[in-house]
Amino acid sequence: MAEQYCNRTLEGFLQLARYRETFFYSLCVSNFAFSLVTSLGNILVIRALLKSSSMTANVKKLFLSLAFSDLGVGLVSQLMAGIIYAAILKTASKGDYNLTSLCPTVLNLNCYLLFFLCAASLLTLSTIAFDRLLAVSLHLRYQELVTSKRVNILLISIWLTSFITALIYIFLPKSNEMVAAVILLVGYFLTTVAYVRVYKVVKYHQNQIYSQNQLQNAQTREELRQRKSAYNALFVYFVFLVCYLPYLPSTILYLTNTSEISFLIAKYASLFLICLNSSLNPIVYCWRYREIRQIVKSTMKKILRLDENMT
Protein backbone atom coordinates (compact mmCIF):
# COMPACT_ATOMS: atom_id res chain seq x y z
CA MET A 1 0.00 0.00 0.00
CA ALA A 2 2.81 2.41 0.90
CA GLU A 3 4.57 1.53 -2.39
CA GLN A 4 1.36 2.21 -4.31
CA TYR A 5 1.18 5.70 -2.81
CA CYS A 6 4.88 6.30 -3.56
CA ASN A 7 4.56 5.23 -7.20
CA ARG A 8 1.60 7.56 -7.67
CA THR A 9 3.54 10.46 -6.17
CA LEU A 10 6.61 9.71 -8.28
CA GLU A 11 4.48 9.57 -11.42
CA GLY A 12 3.21 13.07 -10.67
CA PHE A 13 6.75 14.39 -10.17
CA LEU A 14 7.91 12.85 -13.44
CA GLN A 15 4.99 14.44 -15.28
CA LEU A 16 6.01 17.84 -13.96
CA ALA A 17 9.69 17.28 -14.79
CA ARG A 18 8.82 16.18 -18.33
CA TYR A 19 6.04 18.61 -19.31
CA ARG A 20 6.40 21.55 -16.88
CA GLU A 21 10.12 21.71 -16.26
CA THR A 22 10.17 25.47 -15.52
CA PHE A 23 7.51 25.13 -12.82
CA PHE A 24 9.22 22.10 -11.29
CA TYR A 25 12.59 23.88 -11.34
CA SER A 26 11.01 26.92 -9.60
CA LEU A 27 9.52 24.59 -7.00
CA CYS A 28 12.94 23.04 -6.40
CA VAL A 29 14.73 26.40 -5.97
CA SER A 30 11.93 27.82 -3.79
CA ASN A 31 12.05 24.85 -1.42
CA PHE A 32 15.81 25.24 -0.96
CA ALA A 33 15.53 29.01 -0.41
CA PHE A 34 12.60 28.90 1.99
CA SER A 35 14.09 25.97 3.87
CA LEU A 36 16.82 28.36 5.03
CA VAL A 37 14.40 31.25 5.70
CA THR A 38 11.95 29.04 7.62
CA SER A 39 14.66 27.38 9.71
CA LEU A 40 16.39 30.64 10.66
CA GLY A 41 13.12 32.46 11.39
CA ASN A 42 11.74 29.74 13.64
CA ILE A 43 15.04 29.21 15.49
CA LEU A 44 15.01 32.94 16.34
CA VAL A 45 11.34 32.77 17.39
CA ILE A 46 11.86 29.67 19.55
CA ARG A 47 14.72 31.43 21.34
CA ALA A 48 12.56 34.53 21.81
CA LEU A 49 9.63 32.49 23.13
CA LEU A 50 11.87 30.72 25.65
CA LYS A 51 13.17 34.10 26.89
CA SER A 52 9.76 35.81 26.86
CA SER A 53 8.34 36.92 30.20
CA SER A 54 5.12 38.64 29.08
CA MET A 55 3.42 35.48 27.76
CA THR A 56 1.70 33.11 30.16
CA ALA A 57 3.30 29.66 30.48
CA ASN A 58 0.43 27.87 28.72
CA VAL A 59 0.32 30.23 25.74
CA LYS A 60 4.10 30.02 25.45
CA LYS A 61 3.97 26.19 25.33
CA LEU A 62 1.33 26.23 22.59
CA PHE A 63 3.25 28.69 20.43
CA LEU A 64 6.48 26.75 21.02
CA SER A 65 4.71 23.64 19.74
CA LEU A 66 3.66 25.56 16.63
CA ALA A 67 7.16 27.00 16.14
CA PHE A 68 8.80 23.56 16.45
CA SER A 69 6.44 22.10 13.84
CA ASP A 70 7.28 25.04 11.55
CA LEU A 71 10.99 24.49 12.18
CA GLY A 72 10.56 20.83 11.20
CA VAL A 73 8.93 21.89 7.93
CA GLY A 74 11.88 24.10 7.01
CA LEU A 75 14.71 22.01 8.40
CA VAL A 76 13.47 18.64 7.15
CA SER A 77 10.47 18.64 4.78
CA GLN A 78 11.38 21.55 2.50
CA LEU A 79 15.08 20.67 2.40
CA MET A 80 14.29 17.04 1.63
CA ALA A 81 11.76 18.05 -1.04
CA GLY A 82 14.34 20.34 -2.68
CA ILE A 83 16.89 17.51 -2.80
CA ILE A 84 14.33 15.08 -4.27
CA TYR A 85 13.21 17.59 -6.92
CA ALA A 86 16.85 18.35 -7.82
CA ALA A 87 17.61 14.64 -8.19
CA ILE A 88 14.58 14.15 -10.45
CA LEU A 89 15.47 17.18 -12.61
CA LYS A 90 19.10 16.08 -12.96
CA THR A 91 18.11 12.54 -14.00
CA ALA A 92 15.34 13.79 -16.31
CA SER A 93 17.76 16.17 -18.07
CA LYS A 94 19.63 13.09 -19.29
CA GLY A 95 16.42 11.64 -20.68
CA ASP A 96 16.23 9.05 -17.90
CA TYR A 97 12.86 8.87 -16.15
CA ASN A 98 13.55 5.66 -14.23
CA LEU A 99 13.63 6.83 -10.61
CA THR A 100 12.15 3.80 -8.86
CA SER A 101 15.02 3.99 -6.33
CA LEU A 102 13.08 6.81 -4.65
CA CYS A 103 10.27 4.38 -3.83
CA PRO A 104 9.05 3.40 -1.37
CA THR A 105 11.36 4.82 1.32
CA VAL A 106 12.51 8.30 0.26
CA LEU A 107 9.28 9.78 -1.16
CA ASN A 108 7.09 8.18 1.50
CA LEU A 109 9.32 9.52 4.27
CA ASN A 110 9.13 13.03 2.82
CA CYS A 111 5.34 12.89 2.42
CA TYR A 112 4.96 11.38 5.89
CA LEU A 113 7.02 14.08 7.59
CA LEU A 114 5.19 16.89 5.80
CA PHE A 115 1.76 15.50 6.71
CA PHE A 116 2.89 14.80 10.29
CA LEU A 117 4.19 18.35 10.83
CA CYS A 118 1.20 20.00 9.11
CA ALA A 119 -1.23 17.93 11.18
CA ALA A 120 0.61 19.02 14.35
CA SER A 121 0.32 22.67 13.21
CA LEU A 122 -3.42 22.35 12.50
CA LEU A 123 -4.14 20.67 15.85
CA THR A 124 -2.00 23.18 17.74
CA LEU A 125 -3.75 26.13 16.07
CA SER A 126 -7.14 24.65 16.92
CA THR A 127 -5.98 24.20 20.53
CA ILE A 128 -4.77 27.82 20.67
CA ALA A 129 -8.20 28.97 19.44
CA PHE A 130 -10.07 27.03 22.14
CA ASP A 131 -7.52 28.07 24.77
CA ARG A 132 -8.15 31.74 23.94
CA LEU A 133 -11.90 31.11 24.01
CA LEU A 134 -11.63 29.64 27.50
CA ALA A 135 -9.39 32.53 28.59
CA VAL A 136 -11.84 35.25 27.54
CA SER A 137 -14.91 33.30 28.74
CA LEU A 138 -13.80 31.93 32.11
CA HIS A 139 -11.60 34.82 33.35
CA LEU A 140 -10.22 33.89 36.78
CA ARG A 141 -11.46 30.29 36.55
CA TYR A 142 -9.25 29.80 33.51
CA GLN A 143 -6.15 29.42 35.69
CA GLU A 144 -7.87 26.71 37.75
CA LEU A 145 -9.10 24.67 34.78
CA VAL A 146 -6.30 25.11 32.24
CA THR A 147 -3.32 23.93 34.27
CA SER A 148 0.24 23.43 33.07
CA LYS A 149 -0.06 19.66 33.49
CA ARG A 150 -3.21 19.50 31.34
CA VAL A 151 -1.58 21.57 28.61
CA ASN A 152 1.45 19.23 28.62
CA ILE A 153 -0.83 16.18 28.28
CA LEU A 154 -2.74 17.89 25.48
CA LEU A 155 0.45 18.72 23.55
CA ILE A 156 1.69 15.13 23.85
CA SER A 157 -1.70 13.96 22.56
CA ILE A 158 -1.48 16.40 19.61
CA TRP A 159 1.90 15.08 18.49
CA LEU A 160 0.91 11.43 18.98
CA THR A 161 -2.32 11.97 17.03
CA SER A 162 -0.36 13.64 14.23
CA PHE A 163 2.09 10.73 14.18
CA ILE A 164 -0.69 8.13 13.87
CA THR A 165 -2.70 10.17 11.34
CA ALA A 166 0.36 10.57 9.10
CA LEU A 167 0.93 6.79 9.16
CA ILE A 168 -2.69 6.21 8.12
CA TYR A 169 -2.26 8.78 5.32
CA ILE A 170 0.71 6.85 3.87
CA PHE A 171 -0.51 3.29 4.37
CA LEU A 172 -4.08 3.85 3.14
CA PRO A 173 -3.39 5.49 -0.25
CA LYS A 174 -6.70 4.87 -2.01
CA SER A 175 -8.57 7.74 -0.37
CA ASN A 176 -5.88 9.61 1.56
CA GLU A 177 -6.15 12.84 -0.45
CA MET A 178 -9.87 13.10 0.28
CA VAL A 179 -9.33 12.18 3.94
CA ALA A 180 -6.71 14.97 4.24
CA ALA A 181 -9.12 17.45 2.66
CA VAL A 182 -11.91 16.44 5.06
CA ILE A 183 -9.59 16.74 8.09
CA LEU A 184 -8.56 20.23 6.98
CA LEU A 185 -12.17 21.24 6.41
CA VAL A 186 -13.20 20.06 9.88
CA GLY A 187 -10.19 21.83 11.40
CA TYR A 188 -11.05 25.07 9.57
CA PHE A 189 -14.66 24.89 10.69
CA LEU A 190 -14.00 24.19 14.40
CA THR A 191 -11.24 26.78 14.70
CA THR A 192 -13.25 29.43 12.87
CA VAL A 193 -16.26 28.78 15.11
CA ALA A 194 -14.01 29.18 18.16
CA TYR A 195 -12.62 32.51 16.94
CA VAL A 196 -16.07 33.83 16.03
CA ARG A 197 -17.12 33.00 19.58
CA VAL A 198 -13.97 34.69 20.93
CA TYR A 199 -14.83 37.84 18.98
CA LYS A 200 -18.39 37.90 20.35
CA VAL A 201 -17.25 37.38 23.96
CA VAL A 202 -14.57 40.08 23.64
CA LYS A 203 -17.10 42.53 22.16
CA TYR A 204 -19.55 41.79 24.98
CA HIS A 205 -16.97 42.44 27.70
CA GLN A 206 -15.72 45.54 25.91
CA ASN A 207 -19.21 47.00 25.86
CA GLN A 208 -19.63 46.11 29.54
CA ILE A 209 -16.45 47.94 30.47
CA TYR A 210 -17.45 51.07 28.53
CA SER A 211 -21.06 51.09 29.73
CA GLN A 212 -20.17 50.65 33.41
CA ASN A 213 -17.20 53.03 33.15
CA GLN A 214 -15.11 50.61 35.22
CA LEU A 215 -11.81 51.61 36.72
CA GLN A 216 -8.66 49.93 35.49
CA ASN A 217 -8.59 47.40 38.31
CA ALA A 218 -6.72 44.09 38.18
CA GLN A 219 -9.63 42.13 36.72
CA THR A 220 -10.22 44.65 33.93
CA ARG A 221 -6.52 44.74 33.06
CA GLU A 222 -6.51 40.96 32.89
CA GLU A 223 -9.52 41.01 30.54
CA LEU A 224 -7.79 43.51 28.27
CA ARG A 225 -4.64 41.40 28.24
CA GLN A 226 -6.61 38.28 27.33
CA ARG A 227 -8.42 40.20 24.59
CA LYS A 228 -5.13 41.34 23.07
CA SER A 229 -3.76 37.80 23.26
CA ALA A 230 -6.87 36.47 21.49
CA TYR A 231 -6.51 39.01 18.68
CA ASN A 232 -2.81 38.16 18.25
CA ALA A 233 -3.65 34.45 17.97
CA LEU A 234 -6.36 35.33 15.47
CA PHE A 235 -3.77 36.91 13.13
CA VAL A 236 -1.70 33.70 13.25
CA TYR A 237 -4.81 31.71 12.34
CA PHE A 238 -5.71 34.09 9.51
CA VAL A 239 -2.29 33.60 7.88
CA PHE A 240 -2.68 29.84 8.35
CA LEU A 241 -6.09 29.96 6.66
CA VAL A 242 -4.77 31.91 3.66
CA CYS A 243 -1.92 29.41 3.17
CA TYR A 244 -3.85 26.19 3.76
CA LEU A 245 -7.23 26.97 2.21
CA PRO A 246 -6.15 26.64 -1.49
CA TYR A 247 -5.24 23.00 -0.82
CA LEU A 248 -8.92 22.03 -0.58
CA PRO A 249 -10.11 23.15 -4.07
CA SER A 250 -6.84 22.08 -5.71
CA THR A 251 -7.14 18.59 -4.20
CA ILE A 252 -10.76 18.28 -5.28
CA LEU A 253 -9.84 19.34 -8.82
CA TYR A 254 -6.94 16.87 -8.90
CA LEU A 255 -9.16 14.01 -7.72
CA THR A 256 -11.68 14.70 -10.48
CA ASN A 257 -8.97 14.19 -13.14
CA THR A 258 -5.55 12.97 -11.98
CA SER A 259 -4.16 13.03 -15.53
CA GLU A 260 -4.76 16.77 -16.03
CA ILE A 261 -1.35 18.48 -15.70
CA SER A 262 -2.80 21.87 -14.68
CA PHE A 263 -4.59 20.25 -11.72
CA LEU A 264 -1.32 18.59 -10.71
CA ILE A 265 0.43 21.97 -10.83
CA ALA A 266 -2.32 23.50 -8.68
CA LYS A 267 -1.92 20.69 -6.16
CA TYR A 268 1.84 21.13 -5.73
CA ALA A 269 1.60 24.91 -5.77
CA SER A 270 -0.90 24.69 -2.90
CA LEU A 271 1.43 22.29 -1.05
CA PHE A 272 4.25 24.81 -1.37
CA LEU A 273 1.91 27.49 -0.02
CA ILE A 274 1.31 25.27 3.02
CA CYS A 275 5.08 25.11 3.58
CA LEU A 276 5.29 28.88 3.08
CA ASN A 277 3.07 29.31 6.14
CA SER A 278 5.98 28.10 8.27
CA SER A 279 8.06 31.01 6.94
CA LEU A 280 5.34 33.59 7.54
CA ASN A 281 4.54 32.66 11.14
CA PRO A 282 7.77 34.14 12.58
CA ILE A 283 6.95 37.41 10.80
CA VAL A 284 3.47 37.43 12.38
CA TYR A 285 4.94 36.74 15.85
CA CYS A 286 7.38 39.64 15.49
CA TRP A 287 4.62 41.93 14.19
CA ARG A 288 2.03 41.15 16.87
CA TYR A 289 4.20 40.48 19.94
CA ARG A 290 6.44 43.39 20.93
CA GLU A 291 8.63 41.37 23.28
CA ILE A 292 9.23 38.67 20.66
CA ARG A 293 10.16 41.38 18.15
CA GLN A 294 12.61 43.01 20.57
CA ILE A 295 14.31 39.72 21.48
CA VAL A 296 14.65 38.71 17.79
CA LYS A 297 16.10 42.16 16.91
CA SER A 298 18.53 41.91 19.80
CA THR A 299 19.63 38.41 18.72
CA MET A 300 20.11 39.51 15.11
CA LYS A 301 22.21 42.48 16.22
CA LYS A 302 24.44 40.16 18.26
CA ILE A 303 24.85 37.80 15.28
CA LEU A 304 25.69 40.66 12.90
CA ARG A 305 28.09 42.20 15.42
CA LEU A 306 29.82 38.82 15.79
CA ASP A 307 30.20 38.60 12.00
CA GLU A 308 31.72 42.09 11.91
CA ASN A 309 34.20 41.21 14.63
CA MET A 310 35.21 38.03 12.77
CA THR A 311 35.89 39.99 9.57
Side-chain angles (χ1 to χ4, degrees):
M1 287 185 180
E3 192 164 354
Q4 180 185 346
Y5 172 75
C6 187
N7 289 331
R8 192 177 72 195
T9 304
L10 180 58
E11 185 183 346
F13 287 156
L14 292 175
Q15 277 186 287
L16 291 174
R18 182 178 295 178
Y19 303 113
R20 294 293 187 274
E21 186 181 358
T22 304
F23 170 77
F24 201 52
Y25 183 82
S26 301
L27 210 56
C28 175
V29 173
S30 298
N31 271 288
F32 276 124
F34 280 96
S35 171
L36 179 63
V37 172
T38 303
S39 300
L40 179 61
N42 282 287
I43 287 170
L44 289 170
V45 163
I46 288 168
R47 183 179 184 276
L49 285 168
L50 290 171
K51 292 185 70 175
S52 172
S53 58
S54 62
M55 279 187 175
T56 61
N58 291 341
V59 173
K60 188 187 292 188
K61 286 176 185 177
L62 291 171
F63 276 105
L64 276 170
S65 175
L66 188 59
F68 272 112
S69 65
D70 287 338
L71 177 62
V73 169
L75 205 57
V76 182
S77 296
Q78 284 188 296
L79 181 60
M80 195 173 178
I83 293 170
I84 290 169
Y85 298 164
I88 292 172
L89 284 165
K90 184 179 180 181
T91 308
S93 67
K94 299 174 183 177
D96 183 7
Y97 294 94
N98 183 16
L99 287 154
T100 52
S101 58
L102 293 175
C103 285
T105 307
V106 178
L107 284 183
N108 276 351
L109 180 61
N110 180 244
C111 293
Y112 169 81
L113 289 171
L114 181 59
F115 191 92
F116 166 60
L117 293 166
C118 290
S121 292
L122 176 61
L123 290 173
T124 303
L125 275 167
S126 298
T127 303
I128 290 171
F130 283 99
D131 174 76
R132 295 300 82 204
L133 177 58
L134 291 173
V136 298
S137 302
L138 298 177
H139 306 304
L140 298 178
R141 288 183 59 213
Y142 169 79
Q143 300 293 339
E144 299 173 15
L145 293 175
V146 185
T147 62
S148 180
K149 184 179 178 180
R150 287 174 179 171
V151 171
N152 290 339
I153 292 170
L154 187 58
L155 286 173
I156 292 169
S157 301
I158 283 171
W159 285 88
L160 281 175
T161 302
S162 302
F163 176 82
I164 295 167
T165 307
L167 284 177
I168 294 170
Y169 179 81
I170 296 296
F171 287 99
L172 294 176
K174 287 186 178 179
S175 56
N176 56 3
E177 299 284 1
M178 185 54 70
V179 169
V182 170
I183 291 172
L184 278 175
L185 193 59
V186 172
Y188 295 152
F189 176 75
L190 292 176
T191 310
T192 303
V193 167
Y195 275 119
V196 168
R197 181 63 184 157
V198 165
Y199 177 78
K200 288 182 178 180
V201 172
V202 166
K203 269 294 182 186
Y204 172 76
H205 289 302
Q206 189 176 20
N207 292 336
Q208 264 196 331
I209 292 170
Y210 289 151
S211 63
Q212 296 175 13
N213 197 24
Q214 293 180 359
L215 296 174
Q216 292 295 312
N217 54 35
Q219 184 177 349
T220 305
R221 284 197 299 271
E222 177 64 18
E223 287 182 7
L224 292 172
R225 190 172 70 85
Q226 296 292 4
R227 183 182 71 184
K228 185 178 179 181
S229 178
Y231 280 144
N232 289 342
L234 180 59
F235 276 98
V236 176
Y237 174 65
F238 178 74
V239 173
F240 174 87
L241 200 63
V242 170
C243 291
Y244 275 66
L245 202 56
Y247 179 77
L248 286 175
S250 64
T251 300
I252 293 168
L253 285 172
Y254 175 70
L255 290 173
T256 58
N257 187 357
T258 55
S259 61
E260 175 59 50
I261 192 73
S262 59
F263 293 165
L264 188 64
I265 289 172
K267 177 190 171 184
Y268 282 103
S270 66
L271 279 173
F272 175 74
L273 196 59
I274 285 175
C275 294
L276 184 64
N277 177 248
S278 298
S279 300
L280 296 177
N281 278 339
I283 298 171
V284 178
Y285 300 149
C286 292
W287 171 39
R288 297 302 304 176
Y289 294 93
R290 182 184 298 174
E291 188 183 17
I292 299 296
R293 181 169 66 250
Q294 289 173 343
I295 295 172
V296 168
K297 284 171 67 176
S298 174
T299 304
M300 288 299 296
K301 285 179 182 177
K302 288 178 182 177
I303 293 170
L304 293 173
R305 198 174 296 129
L306 182 64
D307 286 344
E308 288 175 2
N309 292 336
M310 288 178 68
T311 54

